[in-house]
Amino acid sequence: MKMMPNDLMTIRQMCDAFDVTPRTLRFYEAKELLFPQRDGTRRLFTRRDRARLTLILRGKRFGFSLEDIRQILDLYDRDGSNHAQTIRTYELAQQRLAQMEAQRAELDLAIADLKAELDAGEAMIATLRRAAE
Amino acid sequence: MKMMPNDLMTIRQMCDAFDVTPRTLRFYEAKELLFPQRDGTRRLFTRRDRARLTLILRGKRFGFSLEDIRQILDLYDRDGSNHAQTIRTYELAQQRLAQMEAQRAELDLAIADLKAELDAGEAMIATLRRAAE
DNA sequence: AGAGTGCTTTACGTTAACGTCAGTGTAACG
DNA sequence: CGTTACACTGACGTTAACGTAAAGCACTCT
């Protein structure tokens, strides 16, 4: 067991902690979502990186694209106490929420339609079964 | 206005009727979802093509991939009266329905979570507003 | 010293469903 | 016969979020 200075984690430790692949972490770094320090060539992820990764993964669950997430993260980075930016993020989230609810409405419709088709199909299958006797 | 023999339609008529692009129809033909006749090099879509296209578009609304749709269509093509194939299609639809309902459940969760975050954000913004006075 | 492990970079591959040229043809109108 | 309007066939481009080699350091164990 090698000890990392308290709040620094290797790529593997990050992968285990967050259940992601190394490729993903490097990808996020390339996309400027994370900014790990270096020990020579090796990445060392800070507490800040972990906080950001937590937000990234949460954002993904909400269906935000990585680009959306990057922008939101950057807003807070530039000025964590700026009201306008907090409000902007809030608005983005609201928009996304509206999208998600629209999406659910469509999905509900499709489900209802498909169920109707299935009922018809079931009836047809029953008919076929009777005819087969 | 040019008259097409009763049940034959040009690519443009199809596009207008179904609200798709020519590229889409050619793509579906390449994927063996449609089989328009030819008048020289030009495509002429039959009643059968229209029936298939209707099913294709419906299938898409249900979230089936084009490959799924092609298989289903082919099943019916080979033998429209085969019970086993009707039942197979029915099962595919049921599986898809289960997926869609699972997807909706996840979506509902994400919506609930995001709403919770929004409520917190709203509170924070209210705080910021008070502090700004 | 050799073997093994883990990390690194670089860069091409994947998937779906088309979009978007580029270049050519052809049919009809005036 | 020239122009306009469509249609046709390739074939490469697009988007997102990584996956998957390939090839090479750096360290450690033995």
Side-chain angles (χ1 to χ4, degrees), chain B residues 4 7-11 13-14 17 43-46 50:
Chain B
M4 279 298 147
D7 56 347
L8 294 180
M9 287 171 63
T10 68
I11 199 168
Q13 291 173 330
M14 289 291 283
R43 276 163 254 261
L44 290 178
F45 294 84
T46 67
R50 289 196 292 282

Side-chain angles (χ1 to χ4, degrees), chain B:
Chain B
M1 279 295 175
K2 171 170 339 176
M3 268 305 149
M4 279 298 147
N6 209 347
D7 56 347
L8 294 180
M9 287 171 63
T10 68
I11 199 168
R12 180 114 313 270
Q13 291 173 330
M14 289 291 283
C15 291
D16 293 345
F18 289 92
D19 192 34
V20 294
T21 68
R23 179 69 178 94
T24 297
L25 294 176
R26 295 187 190 115
F27 181 73
Y28 288 170
E29 182 183 4
K31 288 281 174 177
E32 305 196 294
L33 289 159
L34 298 177
F35 309 94
Q37 297 176 6
R38 294 302 177 112
D39 166 26
T41 78
R42 288 185 185 168
R43 276 163 254 261
L44 290 178
F45 294 84
T46 67
R47 206 168 26 92
R48 173 158 171 266
D49 289 314
R50 289 196 292 282
R52 291 176 72 95
L53 182 53
T54 298
L55 292 175
I56 291 166
L57 297 178
R58 185 178 301 168
K60 287 199 53 171
R61 285 191 37 243
F62 295 159
F64 286 99
S65 71
L66 291 183
E67 177 55 22
D68 286 345
I69 294 171
R70 192 187 61 75
Q71 287 181 27
I72 293 174
L73 252 36
D74 283 1
L75 286 183
Y76 281 109
D77 248 29
R78 271 202 288 269
D79 185 355
S81 66
N82 185 314
H83 308 172
Q85 290 168 352
T86 297
I87 292 172
R88 173 76 184 126
T89 298
Y90 179 75
E91 285 170 356
L92 275 180
Q94 270 187 325
Q95 284 175 26
R96 181 63 200 144
L97 178 60
Q99 282 175 25
M100 287 169 70
E101 291 188 324
Q103 190 181 337
R104 185 177 57 180
E106 276 185 56
L107 192 53
D108 280 345
L109 238 174
I111 286 176
D113 286 359
L114 185 48
K115 273 185 177 168
E117 301 261 339
L118 278 175
D119 287 347
E122 198 167 12
M124 189 197 304
I125 287 173
T127 302
L128 290 175
R129 288 233 169 83
R130 274 194 301 278
E133 315 223 332

